Amino acid sequence: MLRKFSIIAAVAGLLVATAAPALAAGHPEEPKKVDWSFNGPFGKFDQAQLQRGYKVYREVCSACHAASLLSFRNLGDKNGPFYDAKYPNSNNNPYVKAIAAEYQVSSIDEETGDTVQRPATSADRFPSPFPNEYAARASNGGALPPDLSVLAKAREGGPDYIYSLLTGYHEAPAGLTIDPTKHYNPYFPGDLSSAWSGDPKHVPHGGVIGMPPPLADDRVTYDDGTKATLDQEAKDVSAFLMWAAEPKMIERKEMGFSVLIYLLLMSGLLYASYRTVWRNESH
Amino acid sequence: MSGHPSTYEPKTAFTRWLDSRLPIVRLGYDSFVDYPTPRNLNYWWTFGAILSLCLGVQIATGVVLAMHYTANAGLAFNSVEHIMRDVQYGWLIRYIHANGASMFFIAVYIHMFRGLYYGSYKAPREILWILGCVIYLLMMATAFMGYVLPWGQMSFHGAVVITNLFGALPIVGQAITTWLWGGFAVDNPTLNRFFSLHYLLPFMIAGVVILHIWALHVAGQNNPTGVEPKSKADTVPFTPYATIKDGFAVSVFLILFAIFVFYMPNALGHADNYIPADPLVTPAHIVPEWYFLPFYAILRAVPDKLMGVLAMFGAIACLFALPWLDTSKVRSMRYRPTAKLYFLIFVVACCILGLCGAKLPDDPVIPGLKTFTLIDSDLNSFVWLSRIAALYYFGFFLVILPILGLVEKTLPVPDSIAKPALSHPAHAPAEATASPETKG
Amino acid sequence: MAGAATQPQTVTGEDPNRRDFIHIAAIAAAAAGGAAVAWPLVMQMNPAGDTLALASVEFDLSKVAPGQQVTVKWRSKPLFVRNRTEAEIAKAVKDDNAPMKDPQKDADRVKPGKAQWLVVGGNCTHLGCVPTFGGGDYGGWFCPCHGSVYDTSGRIRKGPAPLNLVVPEYAFLSDTRIKIG
């Protein structure tokens, strides 16, 4: 029986492996593997890291990128960057309220009908830096900065990819002609064959990205005294974006552990019951 | 709906009263309690119960998700994220539903291969098999339309590619695609009708499942020997013998299910589907969900659009015709050593087709090796591998099974189920030959 | 045959109680699992996070002139914020001891020292219709659905409704600003 189930598992594994999409010629560099605190079945978000990551997002990313699926109250949700056990309802979390109040959001005055600006509340979504897609493109040389809400799930490699991309900028290899307003990044997907004047068998990995290198040493100043190196900032913001994309990840893994314990016990009991039922029957 | 004489005896005044008006308890008792089940069913036979569970899980979670989902092209993506972020346990329910589809297909493929191996499609079970094929078709349609609903990039462009398949039909093709779309492209009307149909089809599946079980209970279950039960010594009552075994198998299957839901919920999906649908940009690598990959590979193996579509549908049509394609008098491949070998190659060919479906057609199978160009591609490419595998797929149904049944040498088939069961080394003959009656 | 076969008797001398215990434990575990699965499927119908986030609203009272009322949408239902005139207050206080279905003093329905501000839920306590102001015999609200009449304190005086208009939980943040919920 074990043998048969191992065959099923193997078939399932094979199917998973085959489901991975193919990579074209001139594919990007494999993302660097980072040992995230939230890796593995018992991994958790590092709250200090999420707070630092939020700071990087706030001071750097949010200038061009929206995160329109996030509300301020989410910052105070369980396992979130500013969760405080004293405030199980994140709407009452004073830290969240203070962060929200720093933003102005547009609203309608119910008496005059005019569009007015008011301080955001914890129930409001993160405001977007541009009013619409066209404005975003116009301000960014035609490129559209993607929404960051689910970015960590919308890219192969997730936070590893984001970290690798942010730290992966370097000079374009000699022989690669690129638009001076664009930037070479070996982790960004693309096909550089047409821009490559060297050996056609050795087209460089990666692609050309519109975003200039966003992070650098001391780009932000961390409140907890952590040294703000490029590497540290990239890690922190990648972790923050993973939390933003999958805020229920820790809840999910914790529940999964209980469910698996239950199912193992249940299977044991059912097997014992099965053996007892069949003990006097040949089969 | 069971094909054996009823032994149900109502014990109380109320059950007697009910039984003479609506014998529903009798039906349940005869079908799922006293129903004689071959005593030698192995674990491959538990997938029927596992599939019932999968259908139940998908319907229960799906009805609940529909309470929060909005079928509108402008709102669908965000409503799914609303489920993931704000709805209580929404993330859990959605991940169960999304991975449940894959679990459903894992189970149905094992169930189908089992039927193929043990000859469960042969007389008198042809209708049973065809009803199963109908369920499989309905499942594919349901799964495809469900995958469109989150309205991500893969949803949208998957819908574009699949609906365009119908455009291959001569003369009426364009009219059919426009009718399917409700417009000139996949758009909001398409999403709305897919949602409606995605809600409808599972209940149609449930209806056909009832017919499937009915047909099963008329013909009786097949078993690993392929020999019909001849006496009571060959069978055991469904409850508790089959129910407890099914229960155990379901529980083990749920462990696999739970590992996906809780620890790798997005492993079977595509990252691109977390990007909202954009009709102006197609993802670099568009691949269907894993359970469609073998058919996708057959589609791409044929260089002509119409012929490719016909080959793909032909691959499914072969399943419907199977009861009349296999000419062997012996039901179970346990006693058909040659057929067993071809069957194993067939399973491998299906897996290879799945692999080819996930790869780019022109990519080399063995990296770096260049052979020679045949017709349109290098021989060392996934498109050629898929052509070889597709050829075997059709050859298995259309050539091997019809001819092999006439020429193969089979092993001796036992006279009854109990006979090989008696030779089971784990059981003493004296105990095993005792019928249930004499034991009590 | 079925009876005998469904309860196979052991011939090996094993204690039948232990054997039954395994079956009972397995069935109990399965039942517990089923109940645990039902929990999220039921709980998902409760208000979602974004709905809960809007459960409290702040309102600026300076927009309401004396003798006027403003209907605020709170938790997707109407809420009447009424700036009562002296006459309305006097009428309500005078009736404090009149026979009523749901006796309550006017002073208990407003915040101390803020008697002019009456904040009540805008749904009739009968079956949820929205009453209109100025109808009926008591100078307060009249429900068009089934004829319930409320006075200037929102108390039920006539008709099928069983209870007074509900005073929600609210607090004055300043003289001109209240937080409801």
Side-chain angles (χ1 to χ4, degrees):
Chain A
M1 179 210 84
L2 260 178
R3 189 177 58 91
K4 282 170 184 167
F5 279 103
S6 65
I7 294 170
I8 297 167
V11 170
L14 182 72
L15 292 167
V16 175
T18 58
L23 292 165
H27 57 81
E29 203 90 56
E30 273 295 303
K32 291 176 256 186
K33 292 269 173 253
V34 180
D35 185 21
W36 302 107
S37 65
F38 49 82
N39 277 354
F42 301 102
K44 287 191 184 335
F45 290 120
D46 172 356
Q47 199 181 27
Q49 182 172 48
L50 293 188
Q51 292 184 0
R52 293 195 300 269
Y54 172 69
K55 186 153 196 186
V56 177
Y57 160 77
R58 166 83 212 267
E59 293 180 12
V60 184
C61 313
S62 70
C64 301
H65 291 273
S68 56
L69 295 171
L70 290 173
S71 299
F72 292 106
R73 65 190 160 83
N74 293 136
L75 294 170
D77 283 347
K78 193 147 198 254
N79 301 309
F82 298 103
Y83 174 68
D84 186 336
K86 267 191 290 185
Y87 303 100
N89 179 353
S90 53
N91 287 297
N92 300 331
N93 185 318
Y95 221 99
V96 171
K97 283 181 163 181
I99 289 172
E102 289 170 20
Y103 288 84
Q104 291 287 313
V105 293
S106 52
S107 174
I108 305 278
D109 187 306
E110 285 176 18
E111 277 168 19
T112 62
D114 293 340
T115 305
V116 292
Q117 294 288 309
R118 63 163 172 85
T121 67
S122 51
D124 283 310
R125 300 283 185 105
F126 282 19
S128 298
F130 302 105
N132 53 50
E133 186 189 324
Y134 306 106
R137 282 189 191 278
S139 307
N140 290 283
L144 177 69
D147 189 287
L148 297 184
S149 319
V150 277
L151 191 85
K153 285 200 286 186
R155 296 289 181 274
E156 290 294 338
D160 285 343
Y161 165 80
I162 298 170
Y163 165 78
S164 305
L165 182 93
L166 291 173
T167 54
Y169 284 92
H170 62 73
E171 279 297 308
L176 197 64
T177 330
I178 57 170
D179 186 329
T181 63
K182 308 261 184 221
H183 309 272
Y184 169 70
N185 194 309
Y187 298 96
F188 192 68
D191 190 346
L192 297 173
S193 319
S194 58
W196 176 243
S197 56
D199 179 357
K201 279 205 174 106
H202 295 95
V203 180
H205 291 304
V208 172
I209 183 171
M211 175 171 73
L215 300 177
D217 288 349
D218 297 316
R219 187 74 170 71
V220 297
T221 309
Y222 284 134
D223 303 325
D224 63 0
T226 306
K227 198 164 154 35
T229 59
L230 164 64
D231 189 75
Q232 184 69 41
E233 291 164 4
K235 269 192 188 136
D236 291 347
V237 79
S238 303
F240 172 77
L241 291 178
M242 188 65 229
W243 166 80
E246 189 80 353
K248 306 291 168 103
M249 185 209 274
I250 308 306
E251 201 181 338
R252 188 184 84 214
K253 288 178 180 175
E254 285 171 354
M255 187 187 287
F257 184 68
S258 331
V259 168
L260 282 181
I261 296 283
Y262 164 77
L263 284 176
L264 286 170
L265 287 174
M266 174 85 186
S267 301
L269 273 175
L270 284 169
Y271 187 66
S273 180
Y274 158 64
R275 291 306 297 251
T276 317
V277 165
W278 280 85
R279 62 178 302 118
N280 295 322
E281 292 295 337
S282 60
H283 60 288
Chain B
M1 56 195 213
S2 66
H4 73 107
S6 179
T7 56
Y8 173 67
E9 281 168 31
K11 293 200 175 56
T12 66
F14 172 71
T15 47
R16 272 192 296 276
W17 179 86
L18 182 67
D19 194 54
S20 58
R21 285 157 180 82
L22 178 71
I24 190 165
V25 183
R26 177 182 298 275
L27 179 71
Y29 184 86
D30 293 343
S31 306
F32 300 109
V33 179
D34 189 40
Y35 182 72
T37 311
R39 62 169 59 241
N40 60 335
L41 298 187
N42 55 31
Y43 279 102
W44 300 113
W45 258 267
T46 59
F47 280 88
I50 289 170
L51 284 162
S52 312
L53 174 91
C54 286
L55 180 62
V57 166
Q58 290 305 87
I59 289 180
T61 52
V63 166
V64 158
L65 287 171
M67 295 181 187
H68 304 283
Y69 172 77
T70 311
N72 175 291
L75 304 170
F77 186 88
N78 283 6
S79 77
V80 172
E81 279 303 316
H82 165 70
I83 291 170
M84 294 296 289
R85 288 160 191 273
D86 284 333
V87 173
Q88 298 193 22
Y89 299 102
W91 58 270
L92 173 66
I93 296 164
R94 177 180 174 239
Y95 276 151
I96 290 176
H97 196 73
N99 286 286
S102 286
M103 295 299 127
F104 209 154
F105 275 96
I106 289 176
V108 87
Y109 282 133
I110 294 173
H111 193 67
M112 289 163 73
F113 280 128
R114 190 270 289 154
L116 198 53
Y117 182 81
Y118 291 111
S120 301
Y121 49 85
K122 284 171 180 281
R125 298 187 179 84
E126 301 95 325
I127 296 291
L128 173 61
W129 174 263
I130 287 171
L131 286 169
C133 294
V134 171
I135 293 171
Y136 176 56
L137 270 184
L138 288 171
M139 276 176 66
M140 291 203 287
T142 311
F144 160 65
M145 287 190 275
Y147 193 61
V148 173
L149 301 185
W151 211 241
Q153 274 288 66
M154 280 293 183
S155 298
F156 181 86
H157 293 281
V160 169
V161 169
I162 301 295
T163 50
N164 269 314
L165 287 179
F166 295 94
L169 296 172
I171 308 164
V172 292
Q174 197 53 50
I176 288 179
T177 40
T178 309
W179 174 77
L180 277 175
W181 291 333
F184 303 104
V186 173
D187 206 341
N188 195 50
T190 325
L191 176 61
N192 270 295
R193 62 192 58 184
F194 277 18
F195 177 56
S196 172
L197 293 173
H198 182 73
Y199 207 122
L200 167 72
L201 289 187
F203 297 97
M204 291 180 63
I205 292 178
V208 184
V209 164
I210 290 171
L211 297 182
H212 190 66
I213 295 173
W214 186 7
L216 172 74
H217 284 195
V218 169
Q221 278 159 298
N222 186 24
N223 66 81
T225 63
V227 179
E228 299 291 350
K230 292 195 172 68
S231 67
K232 279 187 175 173
D234 289 340
T235 63
V236 288
F238 191 84
T239 300
Y241 292 94
T243 30
I244 189 65
K245 191 169 186 169
D246 285 348
F248 169 61
V250 161
S251 186
V252 172
F253 186 79
L254 284 176
I255 292 175
L256 175 75
F257 198 157
I259 289 171
F260 273 106
V261 167
F262 292 105
Y263 294 105
M264 41 205 295
N266 294 307
L268 297 169
H270 300 292
D272 280 305
N273 221 27
Y274 281 104
I275 303 171
D278 180 355
L280 307 181
V281 189
T282 298
H285 305 293
I286 179 134
V287 271
E289 290 289 85
W290 68 265
Y291 37 80
F292 293 135
L293 288 173
F295 299 105
Y296 190 59
I298 291 175
L299 170 78
R300 292 196 306 190
V302 184
D304 178 76
K305 185 175 175 183
L306 177 60
M307 295 311 285
V309 173
L310 290 181
M312 194 176 78
F313 286 111
I316 298 165
C318 286
L319 294 172
F320 280 86
L322 177 61
W324 295 277
L325 291 172
D326 184 358
T327 52
S328 175
K329 295 273 179 287
V330 178
R331 191 176 280 139
S332 169
M333 286 195 192
R334 183 182 271 186
Y335 309 107
R336 301 176 62 193
T338 325
K340 193 189 278 189
L341 182 69
Y342 285 117
F343 170 80
L344 286 175
I345 300 172
F346 175 75
V347 175
V348 172
C350 290
C351 294
I352 287 176
L353 280 172
L355 177 76
C356 294
K359 301 288 184 183
L360 288 177
D362 285 333
D363 270 6
V365 180
I366 305 157
L369 178 71
K370 208 149 177 73
T371 54
F372 59 92
T373 303
L374 189 64
I375 307 175
D376 55 355
S377 298
D378 193 274
L379 196 59
N380 176 30
S381 65
F382 280 103
V383 69
W384 271 108
L385 185 63
S386 65
R387 280 169 191 168
I388 295 163
L391 214 59
Y392 184 82
Y393 181 100
F394 287 106
F396 179 75
F397 285 114
L398 302 177
V399 180
I400 296 173
L401 284 180
I403 295 174
L404 192 63
L406 305 174
V407 300
E408 76 185 325
K409 252 178 83 91
T410 57
L411 299 177
V413 176
D415 296 333
S416 73
I417 294 171
K419 215 171 168 200
L422 298 189
S423 60
H424 201 292
H427 299 273
E431 188 192 323
T433 42
S435 68
E437 287 95 329
T438 58
K439 269 186 212 160
Chain C
M1 126 104 212
T6 46
Q7 290 159 0
Q9 293 301 305
T10 177
V11 288
T12 53
E14 195 199 337
D15 178 12
N17 290 328
R18 196 184 77 87
R19 208 184 53 218
D20 288 346
F21 170 75
I22 290 171
H23 302 319
I24 293 165
I27 291 166
V37 168
W39 180 257
L41 293 177
V42 171
M43 292 312 282
Q44 53 82 24
M45 280 172 66
N46 275 323
D50 54 342
T51 309
L52 292 174
L54 296 171
S56 67
V57 292
E58 290 183 15
F59 181 71
D60 183 2
L61 295 173
S62 63
K63 292 174 190 168
V64 193
Q68 296 295 308
Q69 88 178 30
V70 164
T71 307
V72 184
K73 197 169 155 196
W74 179 62
R75 294 184 179 170
S76 300
K77 285 189 299 190
L79 196 69
F80 299 145
V81 179
R82 183 158 185 86
N83 191 347
R84 299 192 294 178
T85 60
E86 289 300 330
E88 283 174 40
I89 299 169
K91 199 170 177 196
V93 173
K94 189 165 73 71
D95 281 0
D96 269 355
N97 295 315
M100 277 189 273
K101 267 193 201 169
D102 183 15
Q104 204 177 10
K105 298 239 179 297
D106 183 60
D108 297 338
R109 296 177 56 79
V110 294
K111 298 288 173 197
K114 313 268 186 201
Q116 78 268 37
W117 296 110
L118 180 70
V119 181
V120 288
N123 292 102
C124 180
T125 56
H126 181 219
L127 291 168
C129 293
V130 181
T132 50
F133 189 80
D137 308 330
Y138 294 87
W141 286 268
F142 172 76
C143 180
C145 289
H146 306 96
S148 293
V149 180
Y150 300 88
D151 65 12
T152 54
S153 188
R155 292 172 296 201
I156 178 68
R157 302 302 290 270
K158 212 170 101 181
L163 296 171
N164 301 335
L165 290 180
V166 177
V167 178
E169 193 184 308
Y170 71 99
F172 278 86
L173 299 176
S174 70
D175 274 353
T176 58
R177 211 169 168 76
I178 53 169
K179 184 185 179 218
I180 305 154

